[in-house]
Amino acid sequence: MKSDRDARHKRAMQRKKEYVDGRIAAATEDRGLLLILTGNGKGKSSSAFGMLARSVGHGLRCAVVQFIKGAWECGERLLFEDNPLVEFHIMGTGFTWETQDRQTDIAAAEAAWSKAEALLADEATDLVILDELTYMLTYGYLDKARVLEALRGRPARQHVVVTGRNASRELLEIADTVSEVNEVRHAFNHGVKAQKGLDY
Ligand code: ATP
Ligand code: MG
């Protein structure tokens, strides 16, 4: 009885190995990717910073532009901002519902975007994280065509990670990998404060 099951398992695993090996052999391209992490669930920025950690671990040159500055000191910023492999730029305003001033927000978004544009033209930067960029497009703070052009024209080997809810259709169209983080439940909606280390 047991050996029957073991034999079936072995056959299934052999088939699976053939399938996986075939897929690995078919993936021969090696180039810079555009990743988008969108959706309403928690995990977009923290995933982006996970890739930053991986990249820094490999000695890659990285840059982060944060398009919304939260009210608190993020752990990822404290960890990476003095790292010589990481260039950090933070948009000089807080959440748009806190500044409540469209012209101030637009000026800050443009200043941050010019940093991003310079990075997207820099062959020496291996990874660029554009955290919360999508809001700059949904609020109309940045010109979509200009953003798409810089992303498309970047160095061929440069990876870019964009985070934020409601990524626009055009952005999704030019992305290589898109993940939508779906909210199943979030403690904040049940009265729990943002937690150090998990949320910031
Ligand atoms: P994280 O940085 O934790 O990966 P995120 O980037 O996916 O979150 P944002 O919309 O940028 O999500 O949210 C920033 C902050 O808001 C984080 O502290 C996060 O935990 C919290 N948050 C994320 N999603 C939700 C949600 N659905 N409801 C309430 N708070 C949320
Ligand atoms: Mg985020």
Side-chain angles (χ1 to χ4, degrees), residues 102 106 109-110 134-144:
R102 195 175 142 78
I106 290 174
E110 279 176 353
T134 60
Y135 303 101
M136 303 302 107
L137 299 175
T138 44
Y139 287 126
Y141 291 175
L142 294 177
D143 179 51
K144 200 185 277 177

Side-chain angles (χ1 to χ4, degrees), residues 35-53:
L35 269 81
I36 300 188
L37 299 163
T38 191
N40 293 331
K42 170 184 164 52
K44 302 175 290 294
S45 297
S46 38
S47 167
F49 285 100
M51 288 181 263
L52 178 67

Side-chain angles (χ1 to χ4, degrees), residues 40-46 132 165 183 186 188-189 199:
N40 293 331
K42 170 184 164 52
K44 302 175 290 294
S45 297
S46 38
E132 321 297 350
R165 296 174 194 207
E183 183 191 292
H186 197 293
F188 177 74
N189 300 321
D199 294 307

Side-chain angles (χ1 to χ4, degrees), residues 117-163:
E117 249 175 0
L119 292 162
L120 294 170
D122 178 22
E123 294 276 350
T125 305
D126 300 303
L127 170 71
V128 181
I129 293 178
L130 303 173
D131 192 32
E132 321 297 350
L133 174 68
T134 60
Y135 303 101
M136 303 302 107
L137 299 175
T138 44
Y139 287 126
Y141 291 175
L142 294 177
D143 179 51
K144 200 185 277 177
R146 187 177 159 197
V147 169
L148 293 171
E149 190 188 317
L151 288 171
R152 279 203 207 90
R154 74 187 194 280
R157 301 197 60 82
Q158 184 182 76
H159 296 309
V160 176
V161 180
V162 171
T163 80

